[in-house]
Amino acid sequence: MMFLPQDEGQRKYCEQVIAKWVNKKDFQIFYEREVPRDNSMIGASALGTEPVIKQYFFKTAGFNNKDIENRFYFLRSSILKEIYFSDRGLTDDFYIASLSSKTIVYKGLLTANQLRQYYLDLQDSEFKSSLAIV
């Protein structure tokens, strides 16, 4: 789950960095999607800074779960370092909410009541959660 800049040029730069490091760390992106949301309840100022939120799904071969989690940690660190230390000023516009084979994190500057309404995935009856922290 990644929060990307609204600006298309900045977003494409972030996506290129993601793809580069995914390849370097021996993963492949086999699916990506923009997370479906309903932002009708958030205010005008929040709409102005609302990120593009994407989920990336990766595949790789030959690693057990512990190895994959460790590799995801280094993948995340590599992506963040390159984007944050670039001269593009993206420290406020790019964020990796979660990068794990076990956990998906849905987060945002929302109240507890807004979270389910905002993220349409959380309204799906097929969606199951074993833990929620607000």
Side-chain angles (χ1 to χ4, degrees), residues 13-48:
Y13 166 74
C14 292
E15 290 170 341
Q16 290 170 349
V17 171
I18 292 165
K20 176 179 104 175
W21 283 105
V22 164
N23 186 42
K24 280 188 172 189
K25 299 293 184 182
D26 296 323
F27 287 101
Q28 293 177 328
I29 298 171
F30 75 88
Y31 183 71
E32 63 184 79
R33 73 180 189 130
E34 192 165 330
V35 178
R37 306 176 311 262
D38 173 5
N39 61 9
S40 63
M41 88 297 288
I42 62 177
S45 62
L47 281 174

Side-chain angles (χ1 to χ4, degrees), residues 51-105:
V52 172
I53 304 172
K54 291 182 84 171
Q55 287 178 327
Y56 291 87
F57 298 85
F58 303 102
K59 68 179 180 176
T60 190
F63 305 113
N64 64 37
N65 281 347
K66 183 177 180 187
D67 288 340
I68 288 173
E69 289 303 310
N70 288 337
R71 295 174 67 81
F72 276 145
Y73 173 81
F74 289 110
L75 173 60
R76 178 185 177 151
S77 296
S78 299
I79 292 169
L80 288 174
K81 279 182 194 174
E82 182 163 340
I83 290 174
Y84 286 173
F85 292 121
S86 73
D87 60 358
R88 295 177 174 256
L90 291 169
T91 54
D92 292 333
D93 296 318
F94 179 81
Y95 179 69
I96 300 176
S98 60
L99 185 56
S100 172
S101 65
K102 300 175 186 177
T103 306
I104 301 173
V105 175

